[in-house]
Amino acid sequence: MSRLLFPKGKQREFLIKNRLKLSKDRIGLADICNIHKRTLYDWEREKFNMSYESAVKLEKLTGISIPKSANFQPESWNCSDAGRLGAYARL
């Protein structure tokens, strides 16, 4: 799943603006994005990066644009780093 890398604080701001515009709570917004409410909570805390598909879906529904400073990361953007860490752990 491709991800968006937001600058610090922008992902939370984007999600809160969308939630207020749609007049939904976290559970309602999670249902719209077709994710679990815990995932949405982690996105708001910026523990994990938001999926590109969910961001585009929210942008189409509310008209709130994705910040220009957000970087698109393709589906396998971290595989080489994860493989290297796994190799070090194995050694």
Side-chain angles (χ1 to χ4, degrees):
M1 180 178 292
S2 52
R3 301 284 177 182
L4 279 177
L5 299 178
F6 288 86
K8 188 171 183 162
K10 294 293 183 181
Q11 181 171 296
R12 177 180 171 82
E13 182 181 321
F14 177 72
L15 287 168
I16 290 174
K17 281 181 182 178
N18 280 288
R19 193 168 43 143
L20 293 174
K21 177 99 179 205
L22 292 170
S23 300
K24 300 278 186 183
D25 58 354
R26 281 192 180 109
I27 296 171
L29 193 62
D31 288 340
I32 289 171
C33 293
N34 200 23
I35 56 171
H36 193 270
K37 64 180 178 177
R38 178 62 189 226
T39 302
L40 183 68
Y41 180 68
D42 288 339
W43 286 354
E44 281 188 3
R45 292 184 313 142
E46 297 183 349
K47 183 176 179 182
F48 300 117
N49 297 320
M50 185 175 187
S51 72
Y52 176 74
E53 293 80 12
S54 295
V56 169
K57 191 176 201 177
L58 289 174
E59 183 180 39
K60 286 180 182 177
L61 281 174
T62 62
I64 298 172
S65 61
I66 298 170
K68 300 277 187 214
S69 55
N71 295 324
F72 174 78
Q73 296 295 324
E75 193 164 329
S76 58
W77 66 278
N78 66 340
C79 287
S80 62
D81 293 337
R84 188 177 314 107
L85 290 174
Y88 285 137
R90 175 127 173 107
L91 291 173

